[in-house]
Amino acid sequence: MKPIESITSGGTKATSRQLEFVTVTVAGQLLGLPISRVHDVFVVSEMTTVPLAPGEIAGLLNLRGRVVTAVSLRRRLGLGDSSSAERRMAVGLENHGEAYGLLVDEVGEVLKLDPDEMQPNPVHMDRGWVGLSQGVHQLHDKLLIVLDVDAVLAFETEREAA
């Protein structure tokens, strides 16, 4: 495989393999999901609530005939639900053979980033967020938090262990 040429922050050309991330926004924070884990992006139309489900489970969706568990990323990150009545977006993921729709405020673009430029989580970052992220990338005007998809979707086992 031929490496991709990229421009480093110093303006010089560097050759390295790059990772692609689908960007999403939740409560104004830019987050990145590894594109290798994303199956699709869709608008949520109807959702069925699940009685007695953990708070992070927003409901069940029917996506092209397949039942998908809708997970509120806002709730998973310890944030309140959005008061906005705009269209709801979801990112389709699969974990251990189960289909999930991660509910987000907005879906952005695909970014190609150098894995060597990923930094550890800041020391002042909320502990709950640290447990759900792999690190951060400093972009020109924002900080991109790279989510750990396995950790985000591991809430069931956390409850069972508690």
Side-chain angles (χ1 to χ4, degrees):
M1 178 191 292
K2 185 178 177 184
I4 299 171
E5 274 193 11
S6 64
I7 304 293
T8 62
S9 55
T12 61
K13 282 192 177 183
T15 304
S16 67
R17 68 179 181 86
Q18 292 187 326
L19 297 177
E20 292 182 308
F21 297 95
V22 174
T23 61
V24 297
T25 304
V26 173
Q29 177 59 56
L30 188 64
L31 305 166
L33 295 162
I35 199 166
S36 61
R37 298 296 301 268
V38 175
H39 288 273
D40 46 21
V41 173
F42 55 95
V43 177
V44 175
S45 54
E46 293 183 35
M47 189 167 22
T48 304
T49 57
V50 181
L52 304 176
E56 296 94 343
I57 304 295
L60 298 176
L61 307 167
N62 182 337
L63 182 63
R64 296 183 291 277
R66 186 171 184 193
V67 176
V68 176
T69 302
V71 176
S72 169
L73 189 53
R74 278 180 161 271
R75 293 180 198 166
R76 190 68 181 106
L77 292 170
L79 304 169
D81 287 331
S82 175
S83 59
S84 173
E86 294 179 32
R87 68 182 187 162
R88 298 171 76 175
M89 298 295 298
V91 177
L93 307 166
E94 195 162 311
N95 195 40
H96 301 295
E98 294 292 322
Y100 293 90
L102 202 56
L103 303 178
V104 298
D105 296 347
E106 294 176 33
V107 176
E109 59 188 333
V110 173
L111 292 180
K112 292 180 182 181
L113 299 171
D114 185 342
D116 296 333
E117 291 183 10
M118 186 159 73
Q119 301 168 18
N121 290 314
V123 294
H124 59 279
M125 185 181 229
D126 181 275
R127 303 305 325 149
W129 286 49
V130 168
L132 300 177
S133 63
Q134 297 177 327
V136 298
H137 277 276
Q138 179 63 51
L139 305 178
H140 296 290
D141 56 345
K142 285 192 172 194
L143 188 69
L144 173 77
I145 298 173
V146 177
L147 292 177
D148 180 343
V149 173
D150 292 326
V152 169
L153 299 178
F155 53 89
E156 295 133 9
T157 52
E158 287 174 10
R159 285 232 160 75
E160 290 170 6

